Amino acid sequence: QKEVEQNSGPLSVPEGAIASLNCTYSDRGSQSFFWYRQYSGKSPELIMSIYSNGDKEDGRFTAQLNKASQYVSLLIRDSQPSDSATYLCAVEGSAGNKLTFGGGTRVLVKP
Amino acid sequence: EADIYQTPRYLVIGTGKKITLECSQTMGHDKMYWYQQDPGMELHLIHYSYGVNSTEKGDLSSESTVSRIRTEHFPLTLESARPSHTSQYLCASSVAGRNEQFFGPGTRLTVL
């Protein structure tokens, strides 16, 4: 079992719809969780961080964390073609010294 | 402007050459990292550093070496490049005590 798992996609959503991405992790001691966006051929860009259970909203993005179930999700509201990218889930291990990245979910927003 | 820089952005080199990939950050971050990523594939941590004179190996075994003589500088060296080293190398940094990592633009290495 991978430490951080994501559905590779592609997740195809029509413009204006909500894109819902999920991520599960295996280390129960993990405390910090991050979502990165990576455009093709570019480096990852941090878009959200979440540390406690519940929802955290930032603009059109909402991160949701459930430590008991060991999953973290990202919602993208009012999806735009510019949101088409690979979204990486990253989890800080219980040792607190590094991040483990999932394989990413590719999102395609169709006009 | 605080940022993280990588040079060169693209490098095509022959087998057996020694190469150094440069990474510098002006954000005052203590922690720095090197990742390797093949196209469409996962990020793999190959080296990290907590600060000056601190270096650790990451999760993916790598023939590269790193050094951290200055806080802002974290170069990666391959003594003898091979075609299997062809990949994208990404440098990142974070503040001590936090793991929000910020990435440089990457170096795309091709070894012929």
Side-chain angles (χ1 to χ4, degrees), chain B residues 9-111:
Chain B
R9 294 290 312 279
Y10 303 91
L11 179 61
V12 180
I13 202 162
T15 296
K17 300 291 187 183
K18 178 180 178 178
I19 58 170
T20 297
L21 307 184
E22 302 287 350
C23 176
S24 294
Q25 50 92 8
T26 57
M27 295 186 283
H29 288 172
D30 293 297
K31 294 165 73 173
M32 297 187 74
Y33 313 82
W34 275 104
Y35 291 87
Q36 186 174 340
Q37 186 181 35
D38 294 326
M41 302 299 285
E42 295 180 28
L43 277 166
H44 291 287
L45 180 67
I46 52 175
H47 298 282
Y48 60 102
S49 167
Y50 291 118
V52 171
N53 294 326
S54 151
T55 60
E56 303 284 345
K57 289 191 179 295
D59 303 319
L60 181 68
S61 175
S62 174
E63 293 166 349
S64 59
T65 59
V66 292
S67 63
R68 190 90 184 274
I69 299 172
R70 302 195 325 257
T71 299
E72 63 273 18
H73 194 213
F74 191 39
L76 180 145
T77 298
L78 276 166
E79 290 293 332
S80 180
R82 295 208 301 269
S84 61
H85 297 138
T86 294
S87 189
Q88 173 155 263
Y89 293 84
L90 292 159
C91 181
S93 68
S94 67
V95 175
R98 297 177 67 91
N99 245 322
E100 291 174 327
Q101 295 182 18
F102 298 90
F103 284 81
T107 294
R108 190 168 297 280
L109 173 65
T110 302
V111 184

Side-chain angles (χ1 to χ4, degrees), chain A residues 51-93:
Chain A
Y51 305 98
S52 52
N53 282 329
D55 295 359
K56 180 181 177 183
E57 187 174 315
D58 184 358
R60 295 186 295 110
F61 297 105
T62 299
Q64 299 172 318
L65 175 61
N66 184 324
K67 291 184 181 178
S69 300
Q70 294 175 243
Y71 83 79
V72 56
S73 61
L74 179 71
L75 300 178
I76 308 173
R77 290 184 302 282
D78 188 24
S79 295
Q80 301 297 309
S82 58
D83 295 326
S84 297
T86 297
Y87 290 80
L88 306 174
C89 172
V91 177
E92 181 185 276

